[in-house]
Amino acid sequence: MASPFSWLKPEPFGLHVVPADAWIDPARAVDTALVTHGHADHARGGHGLTVATPETLAIMALRYGVVETGSTPVAYGETVTLKGGVKATYIPAGHVLGSAQILLEHAGERVIVTGDYKRRADPTCQPFQVTPCDVFVTEATFGLPVFRHPPIADEMAKLLAARQNEQGRCVLVGAYALGKAQRVIAELRAAGFTDTIWLHGAMERMCRLYEDHGVDLGDLQPVAGVPKAALANSIVICPPSALNDRWSRRLPDPVTAMASGWMRVRQRARQRGVELPLIISDHADWDELTQTITQVNPTETWVTHGREEALLRWCELTQRKARALALVGYEDEDD
Ligand SMILES: [Zn+2]
Ligand SMILES: [Zn+2]
């Protein structure tokens, strides 16, 4: 009899599902990849076969400029049987459009690999679903007790107040093109903001993709070619890299804002020259991580992708079996 979970091997560039010869979010091209979501550190191109939700496959096609011919779309709640009889079920992770936890079933054992996840409501994607399992592989991007994300309504109120108070200026919000940008826009709409929201060119196609998948983002317009004066008292969304580059000179004296979980760390905001830090994260904070482990209540917790030590210590204190996985190549494109 094989030892428990020996069919799932952590290797430096990904989790290997041995009987299926498949890899989860592999950091290099493989024959069969099970992809949790579209962020670049999880979804790389060039695999022989990519198994992912239809939304994730659409995101990958947009980013890599290819229609993935070798792809198997798996809708939420659907189960596919892989080589070796391994079953894979895709379950909402609440992180970005199409993001999934992958439930693997083999030899009577159930393992969930979360990919990235959060527990807060997000109008742009389906909420995380608590699912029982034996092994829970959790991310730990914000795995320190100091990370407690504030309610997003507070951050939206700050953003709208800046727009109101800084007459003649605009507010320029740096946000990652996949997920964060659309969430900020959708939350602005939820807060009652109905004006045009202006987009940096790098944001447009992903926003359209969200709209094509039924996410209502209201009136969006490209900022290119619009006279400076027309942008006074407006909100403009751009990639973080554009916040302080020449591109932003076309805008009327922008208040620079940035939407990121890292804005909790003042030094990070200063480094980026951010005037208005908005603490908005698509990852679970400390309370969400510990709450999720408590609710899922697995036999073993495997921690990866971030600050593992504090979460391991918490598991020890709460008498939960846990280990860290040393996987490489997971940088936060997404925070
Ligand atoms: Zn992600
Ligand atoms: Zn990630």
Side-chain angles (χ1 to χ4, degrees):
M1 178 77 196
S3 62
F5 319 120
S6 59
W7 51 275
L8 187 65
K9 276 209 157 52
E11 302 279 359
F13 66 94
L15 272 172
H16 189 203
V17 188
V18 180
D21 194 22
W23 297 81
I24 300 174
D25 292 350
R28 69 181 194 206
V30 297
D31 285 347
T32 304
L34 313 181
V35 174
T36 59
H37 67 286
H39 279 138
D41 53 332
H42 298 261
R44 287 175 175 77
H47 304 304
L49 177 73
T50 303
V51 185
T53 63
E55 295 86 352
T56 297
L57 291 173
I59 291 164
M60 291 176 75
L62 175 68
R63 294 196 138 178
Y64 301 121
V66 289
V67 179
E68 305 255 323
T69 44
S71 67
T72 302
V74 190
Y76 288 135
E78 205 182 297
T79 301
V80 286
T81 303
L82 307 166
K83 235 177 12 187
V86 179
K87 287 187 159 57
T89 307
Y90 285 58
I91 299 166
H95 176 59
V96 296
L97 182 72
S99 66
Q101 315 171 59
I102 302 177
L103 165 65
L104 298 164
E105 294 173 278
H106 183 67
E109 293 166 341
R110 291 162 61 90
V111 176
I112 284 178
V113 182
T114 61
D116 295 336
Y117 68 97
K118 70 173 175 296
R119 304 298 303 274
R120 310 287 174 102
D122 177 341
T124 69
C125 63
Q126 292 206 32
F128 182 96
Q129 214 171 291
V130 172
T131 307
C133 60
D134 304 301
V135 172
F136 187 61
V137 184
T138 180
E139 63 132 325
T141 305
F142 290 104
L144 284 174
V146 66
F147 291 114
R148 290 193 160 93
H149 309 322
I152 194 163
D154 295 3
E155 305 306 284
M156 287 299 121
K158 277 195 239 169
L159 171 50
L160 290 168
R163 174 187 167 268
Q164 198 69 45
N165 299 338
E166 302 291 337
Q167 286 297 313
R169 302 177 72 186
C170 72
V171 184
L172 178 60
V173 184
Y176 288 95
L178 167 55
K180 190 63 59 66
Q182 296 78 22
R183 186 175 174 212
V184 167
I185 294 166
E187 289 288 354
L188 280 168
R189 299 311 186 198
F193 184 73
T194 53
D195 292 11
T196 298
I197 294 175
W198 302 91
L199 301 179
H200 183 283
M203 299 294 179
E204 286 175 47
R205 291 197 310 162
M206 196 60 80
C207 288
R208 300 299 169 214
L209 186 149
Y210 267 64
E211 290 173 326
D212 291 346
H213 286 85
V215 180
D216 184 9
L217 299 176
D219 184 36
L220 304 178
Q221 297 291 336
V223 79
V226 177
K228 230 183 210 192
L231 297 169
N233 306 315
S234 70
I235 296 177
V236 183
I237 316 278
C238 72
S241 60
L243 267 184
N244 295 302
D245 76 7
R246 296 175 58 87
W247 171 87
S248 67
R249 291 185 205 163
R250 71 183 66 197
L251 306 174
D253 189 17
V255 178
T256 53
M258 165 98 183
S260 162
W262 297 113
M263 290 298 103
R264 167 72 73 200
V265 184
R266 279 173 191 285
Q267 197 189 350
R268 293 235 192 176
R270 271 200 302 271
Q271 275 165 0
R272 283 196 178 267
V274 170
E275 223 175 307
L276 179 67
L278 302 170
I279 307 168
I280 301 174
S281 176
D282 286 330
H283 292 273
D285 68 4
W286 176 257
D287 291 333
E288 291 169 65
L289 290 169
T290 55
Q291 173 206 10
T292 303
I293 295 169
T294 305
Q295 290 174 343
V296 172
N297 197 24
T299 314
E300 282 187 36
T301 302
W302 296 1
V303 186
T304 179
H305 195 146
R307 279 127 220 91
E308 291 92 1
E309 300 77 16
L311 208 50
L312 289 178
R313 177 79 184 127
W314 178 85
C315 287
E316 191 186 314
L317 290 171
T318 54
Q319 281 148 18
R320 294 170 189 281
K321 193 169 173 192
R323 63 183 284 205
L325 299 185
L327 305 178
V328 298
Y330 296 99
E331 306 299 329
D332 6 274
E333 178 202 12
D334 51 325
D335 45 15

